[in-house]
Amino acid sequence: QVQLVESGGGLVQAGGSLRLSCAASGRTFSRCTMGWFRQAPGKEREFVAAIFWSDDTTYYADSVKGRFTISKDYAKNTVYLQMNSLKPEDTAVYYCAVSTSRYRITYYDDTRYGYWGQGTQVTVSS
């Protein structure tokens, strides 16, 4: 059973930075897709970023492109989300997710991911 544990959320002022971590366990990750999604109060969950495990191909939502960076540590089975130049509209609960399909998936579609973390709160004050 795959388990995902997020950490690194918190309160930060606009313009600041945070780094989220997602530690994965329960299987060997060789060909899969790991993604970050977020959900703000009263809004639907939305795609933020994703990385294809085997070749480090990355994908970003337009709203975070140039500010957020997704990366991974293969040895630690951990994926990171470095968030810079944070804005109040980035405030949300951030979720890590993994699709264990060995083929490329529709990375922005949350229904394609089978395992989810518990979420970590990110609050950006103006």
Side-chain angles (χ1 to χ4, degrees):
Q1 183 73 7
V2 173
Q3 290 187 321
L4 303 174
V5 179
E6 300 114 330
S7 60
L11 173 64
V12 64
Q13 287 188 333
S17 298
L18 283 173
R19 189 177 80 155
L20 305 183
S21 300
C22 174
S25 62
R27 60 164 284 163
T28 300
F29 296 92
S30 56
R31 291 179 64 88
C32 65
T33 303
M34 294 192 75
W36 287 97
F37 290 77
R38 66 187 182 187
Q39 187 167 22
K43 295 187 177 181
E44 293 189 353
R45 187 163 57 191
E46 65 175 1
F47 168 75
V48 176
I51 186 167
F52 194 60
W53 198 259
S54 64
D55 65 7
D56 288 347
T57 302
T58 57
Y59 311 93
Y60 296 95
D62 288 343
S63 59
V64 306
K65 202 170 292 183
R67 299 188 298 122
F68 290 11
T69 302
I70 188 171
S71 62
K72 75 175 198 297
D73 184 323
Y74 186 90
K76 295 182 179 180
N77 270 359
T78 298
V79 65
Y80 303 98
L81 186 68
Q82 178 66 44
M83 305 186 295
N84 299 329
S85 302
L86 282 161
K87 305 175 181 179
E89 51 263 44
D90 293 319
T91 295
V93 177
Y94 283 70
Y95 296 92
C96 173
V98 64
S99 165
T100 54
S101 171
R102 61 197 305 257
Y103 302 106
R104 304 231 181 219
I105 62 167
T106 308
Y107 56 86
Y108 51 82
D109 181 353
D110 61 358
T111 67
R112 306 299 292 174
Y113 294 80
Y115 299 95
W116 292 81
Q118 81 284 358
T120 186
Q121 177 70 46
V122 172
T123 302
V124 185
S125 63
S126 56

